[in-house]
């Protein structure tokens, strides 16, 4: 909702369309007939945002789940696209899958591989892991990163699809998930041409995200809160401030204004 005597609702389907376009464009960058190997933790999100017919139109003729140790079914396609979480464990499973595919490759020619990482690791670091595993060859293997931001998981619910964020921040001391959260919020502001005018953070991590937003806005030249349509309030809740209820879901609610209702000033 927007302050100032009128209402503003977010059509969350725009986020789904945007995410689908980016996923399909990335997959299509590896031309020709191909199989897709998907991280199990991403399969639900992929099914929610990408229509099967649109996926087939990019040349994907088979989809399988990534299996620890690379024990996936034999694939006749010589091109493989991996859509995976960026983690050392996952990349080792990707490497094992590629090694198995190459062992069967004599019958179908030299394989080509595209590894698409959901943010959490730089492509350079991923390439080093794959090199250590003995599979990296930049002439036939390419690593890229895909940041989808928030994804709708309900009529008025968004998720950053970052399942290890609490562990990474609290146990590992990694601030990358906080930067990712701030970028997701900024994406909402840019896509819907609004600015959260009142951001409240409860907990250290939440306040860090709130403090990052003004800096990110300056980098992309987003209008200041007093010059853009203003959403009434954004409340960021740190898991450490309310551990039990936050553990129920990683989703972030986005209130939708009832038709005809107006937000009162203040």
């Amino acid at each position: 909702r927007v302050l100032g005597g009128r209402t503003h609702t977010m059509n969350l389907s725009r986020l789904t369309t945007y995410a689908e376009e980016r996923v399909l464009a990335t997959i299509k960058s590896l031309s020709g007939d191909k199989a897709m190997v998907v991280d199990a933790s991403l399969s639900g999100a992929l099914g929610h945002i990408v229509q099967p017919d649109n996926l087939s139109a990019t040349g994907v003729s088979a989809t399988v789940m990534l299996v620890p140790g690379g024990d996936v079914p034999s694939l006749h396609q010589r091109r493989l696209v991996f859509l995976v979480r960026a983690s050392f464990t996952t990349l080792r499973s990707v490497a094992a899958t590629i090694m198995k595919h190459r062992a069967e490759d004599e019958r179908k020619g030299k394989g080509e591989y595209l590894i698409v990482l959901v943010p959490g690791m730089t492509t350079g670091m991923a390439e080093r892991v794959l090199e250590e595993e003995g599979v990296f060859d930049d002439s036939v293997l390419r690593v890229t990163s895909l940041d989808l931001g928030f994804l709708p998981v309900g009529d008025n619910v968004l998720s950053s699809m970052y399942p290890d964020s609490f562990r990474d921040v609290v146990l590992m001391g990694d601030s990358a998930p906080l930067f990712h959260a701030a970028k997701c919020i900024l994406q909402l502001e840019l896509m819907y041409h609004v600015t959260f005018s009142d951001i409240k953070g409860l907990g250290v991590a939440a306040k860090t995200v709130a403090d990052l937003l003004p800096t990110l806005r300056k980098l992309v030249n987003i209008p200041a809160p007093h010059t853009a349509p203003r959403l009434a309030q954004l409340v960021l809740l740190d898991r450490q401030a309310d551990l039990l209820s936050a553990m129920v879901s990683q989703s972030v609610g986005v209130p939708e204004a009832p038709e005809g209702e107006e937000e009162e000033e203040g």
Side-chain angles (χ1 to χ4, degrees), residues 107-128:
R107 301 191 305 272
K108 50 183 176 286
K110 194 172 186 180
E112 296 179 49
Y113 309 96
L114 172 63
I115 301 173
V116 184
L117 301 174
V118 172
M121 180 184 294
T122 64
T123 56
M125 185 179 296
E127 289 172 355
R128 285 195 294 272

Side-chain angles (χ1 to χ4, degrees), residues 57-264:
T58 66
V60 174
S61 55
T63 303
V64 298
M65 294 297 108
L66 181 69
V67 179
D71 191 22
V72 300
S74 295
L75 298 165
H76 72 270
Q77 297 86 351
R78 71 180 188 86
R79 301 177 185 87
L80 300 184
V81 176
F82 295 85
L83 182 64
V84 297
R85 294 282 183 194
S87 72
F88 293 107
T89 301
T90 299
L91 285 171
R92 291 188 181 102
S93 295
V94 169
T97 303
I98 292 174
M99 290 180 71
K100 178 183 177 182
H101 188 254
R102 284 176 174 170
E104 302 169 346
D105 223 16
E106 296 178 358
R107 301 191 305 272
K108 50 183 176 286
K110 194 172 186 180
E112 296 179 49
Y113 309 96
L114 172 63
I115 301 173
V116 184
L117 301 174
V118 172
M121 180 184 294
T122 64
T123 56
M125 185 179 296
E127 289 172 355
R128 285 195 294 272
V129 173
L130 295 170
E131 189 172 12
E132 290 173 0
E133 296 296 315
V135 298
F136 184 71
D137 178 352
D138 58 9
S139 66
V140 293
L141 189 153
R142 181 161 54 92
V143 181
T144 187
S145 181
L146 184 62
D147 189 350
L148 298 177
F150 282 135
L151 295 177
V153 293
D155 292 338
N156 63 346
V157 179
L158 301 175
S159 173
S160 65
M161 312 302 278
Y162 207 131
D164 297 326
S165 58
F166 181 71
R167 183 203 65 182
D168 290 350
V169 172
V170 177
L171 298 181
M172 309 301 292
D174 184 1
S175 61
L178 305 182
F179 186 72
H180 178 69
K183 287 200 302 180
C184 288
I185 295 169
L186 181 67
Q187 180 197 57
L188 290 180
E189 294 186 326
L190 290 169
M191 182 170 289
Y192 293 95
H193 305 289
V194 295
T195 302
F196 292 105
S197 61
D198 184 14
I199 302 176
K200 297 186 183 299
L202 180 59
V204 176
K207 290 177 180 177
T208 299
V209 174
D211 290 342
L212 280 169
L213 277 168
T215 301
L216 292 178
R217 285 173 182 155
K218 290 178 181 178
L219 290 175
V220 298
N221 198 29
I222 194 171
H226 64 278
T227 62
R230 296 176 295 149
L231 288 178
Q233 191 175 79
L234 174 66
V235 179
L236 303 174
L237 182 62
D238 192 330
R239 283 192 177 190
Q240 294 181 88
D242 182 11
L243 186 59
L244 294 180
S245 63
M247 280 294 186
V248 174
S249 172
Q250 297 194 33
S251 301
V252 178
V254 178
E256 183 175 0
E259 186 175 352
E261 181 181 332
E262 294 187 352
E263 184 78 15
E264 295 183 2

Side-chain angles (χ1 to χ4, degrees), residues 24 28 34 51-60:
L24 294 176
K28 197 173 181 179
K34 61 186 77 75
Q51 298 298 316
D53 289 345
N54 293 338
L55 190 61
S56 298
T58 66
V60 174

